[in-house]
Amino acid sequence: MPRIALATYDPGAEPGADTDLPVLVRALTDAGAEAEARYWDDPAVDWGGYDLVVIRSTWDYSWRAAEFAAWVERTGTLTRLANPAPVVRWNTDKRYLGELAAAGVPTVPTRYLAPGEPARLPAGHEFVIKPTSGAGARFAARYTPEEHDTAARQLARMHAEGFTAMVQPYMPGIDVGGERALQFFGGRLLHASRKGAVLSPGTPYDADKVAHPGLERWKPTDAELALAEKALASVPGSAGLLYARVDVVDGDDGEPRLMELELVEPNLFLWLHPDSLPRVTEAILTAAGDPA
């Protein structure tokens, strides 16, 4: 009987946001595993006592990046960790987009502004500023060229807190075709979803945002699948991936572009795709049965 831990976060007094977690624990238990959800930052957990630790919903990690990175490295030395520590480390810094673009993956054009660098902002189109380490649209905002002063204040705040900023053109195709998320599990496409635009004009960068507005099931196009497969094949250590989410949007030419890869703790949206639960369960059990 494999012992499997699903790593999550402690929501404190708030209800837990990962509604898929108890469903997945129950499915793994029914399939014969000893499965349980554990807080990633609980010092009492013996991670080495598990055959597999799956990072599922550690959704506070970007606020505690150094602590989370240390946990990932330590856990990866004690047992099998999915995804593997080197992949997680690579994916927590969105400067990986530059690496993928250099490898020929069509991406949303991105510039990076580290602390101390001047705030060079676009003058001829809408643009987005967000941190290279973040989740849930944290510290992300959309600006017009007339809002440079407000954007510069956001950059100053981010730089003061040690964040490197990403500057991207706003992709107007999001307002028409939305953003598509292609989920892979066990090396195969699991399912896909589409959501509306997260960043509304005038929404402050430090405001709470709805991370997945209007989420619905989606059938990916051949072009989207080809982009996703090319992006995943370009990930260092891609052979060790248990799960992945590939976010795509339409470019000005109507062709899909990579918005980002989520290889750390993607929401699986099993409540929207309940038919995917058996495949997720099977893939986790297979991973737990492999020799560490």
Side-chain angles (χ1 to χ4, degrees):
M1 176 186 296
R3 296 195 71 224
I4 301 170
L6 304 179
T8 186
Y9 77 114
D10 184 353
E14 300 295 324
D18 187 0
T19 58
D20 290 336
L21 192 62
V23 175
L24 188 51
V25 169
R26 184 166 57 251
L28 288 166
T29 301
D30 290 346
E34 184 181 339
E36 53 190 357
R38 303 302 302 263
Y39 298 145
W40 71 268
D41 58 350
D42 183 350
V45 177
D46 175 18
W47 299 105
Y50 294 99
D51 300 296
L52 175 69
V53 175
V54 183
I55 303 174
R56 279 305 332 120
S57 47
T58 56
W59 291 339
D60 59 347
Y61 87 85
S62 66
W63 280 262
R64 307 161 63 187
E67 185 181 352
F68 181 73
W71 174 81
V72 167
E73 296 296 335
R74 183 173 62 254
T75 304
T77 66
L78 296 173
T79 187
R80 181 178 297 276
L81 179 68
N83 279 326
V87 170
V88 172
R89 182 172 59 248
W90 179 84
N91 191 233
T92 53
D93 187 333
K94 292 187 177 64
R95 279 174 283 201
Y96 67 75
L97 285 171
E99 297 181 33
L100 295 180
V105 178
T107 65
V108 174
T110 305
R111 288 193 296 112
Y112 301 95
L113 296 176
E117 294 184 343
R120 301 185 308 275
L121 298 174
H125 55 78
E126 280 191 283
F127 58 95
V128 171
I129 297 177
K130 55 187 176 183
T132 57
S133 177
R138 177 195 179 204
F139 275 8
R142 169 182 172 182
Y143 296 103
T144 66
E146 293 73 36
E147 297 175 305
H148 274 201
D149 289 346
T150 305
R153 287 194 292 272
Q154 175 184 345
L155 281 173
R157 165 81 181 278
M158 292 172 62
H159 286 170
E161 297 194 21
F163 289 105
T164 292
M166 305 165 60
V167 181
Q168 299 174 317
Y170 184 75
M171 308 299 285
I174 296 176
D175 297 327
V176 179
E179 180 180 329
R180 283 85 74 194
L182 281 65
Q183 304 261 14
F184 290 77
F185 219 97
R188 297 184 296 149
L189 179 71
L190 181 67
H191 55 240
S193 311
R194 180 173 68 172
K195 67 181 181 182
V198 174
L199 300 179
S200 301
T203 301
Y205 69 91
D206 53 357
D208 290 335
K209 304 173 184 72
V210 178
H212 306 290
L215 193 70
E216 61 182 357
R217 294 168 71 106
W218 176 255
K219 182 178 180 180
T221 66
D222 290 344
E224 290 168 356
L225 282 169
L227 171 61
E229 290 168 356
K230 183 176 180 64
L232 291 176
S234 302
V235 173
S238 60
L241 291 175
L242 175 62
Y243 52 83
R245 192 187 77 210
V246 184
D247 294 342
V248 301
V249 297
D250 290 330
D252 292 339
D253 58 359
E255 292 299 313
R257 298 287 184 273
L258 178 70
M259 175 73 78
E260 69 174 81
L261 291 179
E262 177 51 85
L263 310 178
V264 181
E265 29 68 276
N267 192 325
L268 296 178
F269 307 129
L270 292 176
W271 59 269
L272 183 64
H273 302 273
D275 48 318
S276 293
L277 180 60
R279 281 188 50 196
V280 172
T281 303
E282 179 184 4
I284 292 176
L285 290 172
T286 298
D290 290 341

